[in-house]
Amino acid sequence: MASQTCQAYSEVIETTRFAPSPTGFLHLGHVYAAAFARKHGDRMLLRHEDIDATRVRPEYYAAIEDDLAWLGINWDGPVRRQSGHFDDYRAALKKLADLGVTYPCFCTRAEIVAEVSRAGEAPHGPEGPIYPGTCRGMSKFERIARMDRGLPYAVRLDVESALARVGPLTWHDRGLGRQTATPEKFCDVVIARKETPASYHLCVVVDDHLQGVTLVTRAEDLTSSTHVQRLLQDLLGIEPPSYFHHRLLLAPDGKKLSKRDHAETVRSLRAAGMSPAEVLQLALGDLG
Ligand code: GLU
């Protein structure tokens, strides 16, 4: 009896999250991701990933929440907006800087592309062409001189130095099984920008931890991010969650659904007279 009681208490309450960016209306790919998170979480949190002020529009926050409610996909607890938590990201960034695993990078995107193509084949990572490490070896004197001149810079993670500080990196993936993280394949990713003291990777790692997320569900095109995020978790002393990367819903032409290509939105399907059940069926097919 006693052991049964212990068993019941030790059951994990799985906390997942749905984390859209309020830069457009939800499309069917989002519906799939939200329903997947809901299905696998005892609790499902909603988080607006809104650090890119140039792309966020105020009306999309309410539209996302309204579309989810219309679909019957409910969430638990308060909604988190990343833009309200820059202090959390600054603190994590400082921790990384104190470890000596970051450096300022003054390269423009065009300079990086030119540098990569000069080197022959241009390998690509999760954030475009892989950064060739141009500013990694810059002297302290030169860095300070450039900062004093007000030159804009991003903060990059020195992945090689970072890897030297942690043990082997793995994660448990419910879909793919045990995975080994190889962040070195993505080179020195950006973890903060001058105008925004944070980046996608840093915010996600900090938020998932602070929000008590136990299972990160997201589309398989974000698997590459997990390699980098596992490294950040170990550097910051954060216990990693489990992961479940699900299939990516594609448009009928086989391309990725995206806001930029004006993928069909829940809004437009609603306006065309579809019911929530029909929209869910369209997005989920056999997910159930
Ligand atoms: N905000 C990301 C997106 O809209 C999702 C990030 C994540 O799930 O880690 O694609």
Side-chain angles (χ1 to χ4, degrees), residues 17 19-21 49 200 204 218 222:
R17 61 4 178 231
S21 297
E49 302 212 322
Y200 160 67
V204 163
R218 55 187 178 200
L222 284 170

Side-chain angles (χ1 to χ4, degrees), residues 25-78:
F25 293 117
L26 295 183
H27 57 57
L28 293 177
H30 293 113
V31 177
Y32 189 95
F36 195 90
R38 182 69 277 179
K39 182 181 158 90
H40 292 281
D42 301 304
R43 298 174 69 233
M44 186 197 83
L45 310 175
L46 174 62
R47 181 166 82 221
H48 290 294
E49 302 212 322
D50 60 346
I51 55 168
D52 185 354
T54 60
R55 294 181 54 221
V56 166
R57 297 277 172 276
E59 61 272 25
Y60 292 132
Y61 296 92
I64 288 171
E65 292 174 27
D66 183 64
D67 282 345
L68 287 175
W70 179 79
L71 288 163
I73 301 178
N74 57 337
W75 60 89
D76 300 284

